[in-house]
Amino acid sequence: GPRGLAAMPALRPFAAGWHARPLLHLDRAALRAHAEARGLRWQEDESNADTGPARNFLRHDILPPLHGRYPALAQTLSRSARRCAEADALLSELAEADLATLRLPAGGLSVDGLRALGERRARNALHHWIHVRGLPLPSEAQLAQLWQTVVCAAADARPHLCWPGAEARRYRDALHLGAPLAPLGAPPVSAWSATEPLDLAGVGRLEARPAEGAGVALRHVQGRVLQVRFRRGGERLCIAGRGGHHRLKTLLQEAGIPPWRRERLPLVFLDDQLLAVADLWVACEYAAAGHEPGLRFVLHEDD
């Protein structure tokens, strides 16, 4: 695509700074003259003579006869690369403008919004979205499949597309993208004092933060050993603002929590009483009120 044909940029972001190539615009003869004028010693890498790598094959076997036939080849290719860089910049600007209208407050992109863009423009936005998130780019065929089998799937479908290093999932109107989910390796029950963060393999890190009038009331859990579990089915919870106990499954559906996240939400128990669901809800019977000291359970999910 244009980004690949644009070749090396003279300046690009790198870590916390920039990667600059200030001599990129100079041709080989100018660089050689510069080096010789300053008495620089030439260090030849013996691998340069190996025509196995594509770059050496092109340099030794393909470009010399082309230069002989087309003397302005280098300048022409350089001009084409600049134009491709400009085209890529314009496509990126268009993608950023589109993504600004597609991003959802709870994460992901609007599927209806992508469809409204049309396939070509949506694929440009998706390609850019994957790139800026630092995930491996899909092949052209995989990008087409992302549009056809995920974005254009039926409204009640839950499509899932993987390519090396990344995966796309859809739930309702939201398209989600990320690294492949790690296997859920946490034990069924983890004892936790809530004084130190708890690492949950394949999920993230759970910690308890002091809070005033929020979270679980400290008087209920101070000095007690809590248990952290995952859903087994049948859990019920009374939450503030709603009378009676409600099935956790119903609460998760109403909140629009994607199915693949539901099984990875840590549930905090005291004995067999459900106190909190990650950082989403606290059982009303144990909630801190007013200025009462409390603990908020905060989940830092793995990237």
Side-chain angles (χ1 to χ4, degrees):
R3 182 172 297 138
L5 292 172
M8 294 179 180
L11 186 68
R12 69 176 180 87
F14 182 75
W18 295 87
H19 186 182
R21 298 179 175 91
L23 305 180
L24 195 59
H25 66 288
L26 298 176
D27 61 23
R28 184 181 182 88
L31 288 173
R32 187 181 187 93
H34 176 87
E36 290 176 345
R38 286 156 180 78
L40 301 180
R41 296 178 56 194
W42 180 265
Q43 300 292 330
E44 180 69 29
D45 188 330
E46 61 183 19
S47 69
N48 286 339
D50 179 8
T51 56
R55 65 182 184 278
N56 288 345
F57 170 68
L58 291 170
R59 183 182 299 129
H60 293 297
D61 296 344
I62 301 301
L63 289 178
L66 287 176
H67 277 294
R69 180 68 179 264
Y70 307 104
L73 177 67
Q75 293 86 348
T76 302
L77 290 177
S78 178
R79 184 168 59 248
S80 295
R82 286 196 304 271
R83 289 176 177 172
C84 285
E86 292 173 358
D88 178 61
L90 289 172
L91 289 172
S92 295
E93 289 175 12
L94 176 62
E96 281 294 341
D98 287 337
L99 289 173
T101 69
L102 295 171
R103 290 188 175 96
L104 299 173
L109 300 182
S110 167
V111 171
D112 287 343
L114 284 166
R115 287 178 172 175
L117 289 179
E119 182 176 358
R120 283 187 299 180
R121 193 161 162 179
R123 285 171 62 177
N124 178 60
L126 290 170
H127 189 276
H128 184 73
W129 188 45
I130 296 167
H131 173 70
V132 296
R133 296 196 61 181
L135 292 167
L137 291 170
S139 66
E140 184 175 0
Q142 289 164 336
L143 188 61
Q145 190 177 5
L146 177 59
W147 167 260
Q148 294 165 0
T149 66
V150 181
V151 176
C152 293
D156 59 349
R158 297 178 184 176
H160 177 205
L161 177 66
C162 297
W163 61 93
E167 64 181 8
R169 297 172 183 264
R170 177 182 157 190
Y171 178 59
R172 296 180 179 173
D173 183 46
L175 175 68
H176 297 269
L177 175 75
L181 292 176
L184 192 59
V189 179
S190 297
W192 187 40
S193 66
T195 56
E196 297 290 338
L198 177 65
D199 289 321
L200 299 169
V203 175
R205 189 177 75 257
L206 183 67
E207 67 172 322
R209 292 180 180 175
E212 182 179 303
V216 174
L218 186 62
R219 58 187 169 87
H220 291 303
V221 297
Q222 193 167 31
R224 306 288 298 275
V225 176
L226 306 176
Q227 296 86 41
V228 178
R229 310 174 189 170
F230 294 100
R231 289 183 62 207
R232 298 174 179 173
E235 295 90 357
R236 304 181 70 86
L237 189 69
C238 171
I239 60 176
R242 295 184 59 164
H245 286 72
H246 301 270
R247 296 173 62 199
L248 179 56
K249 178 180 180 180
T250 302
L251 295 174
L252 292 170
Q253 289 175 339
E254 291 176 352
I257 306 299
W260 60 91
R261 284 198 63 219
R262 296 175 196 170
E263 64 180 16
R264 295 169 179 270
L265 288 174
L267 311 182
V268 182
F269 286 81
L270 177 61
D271 297 326
D272 287 324
Q273 178 63 49
L274 178 58
L275 301 183
V277 179
D279 42 15
L280 295 175
W281 301 292
V282 173
C284 57
E285 306 98 315
Y286 295 88
H291 298 288
E292 185 179 14
L295 287 179
R296 288 182 57 242
F297 301 126
V298 179
L299 175 63
H300 304 277
E301 296 183 73
D302 290 338
D303 294 333

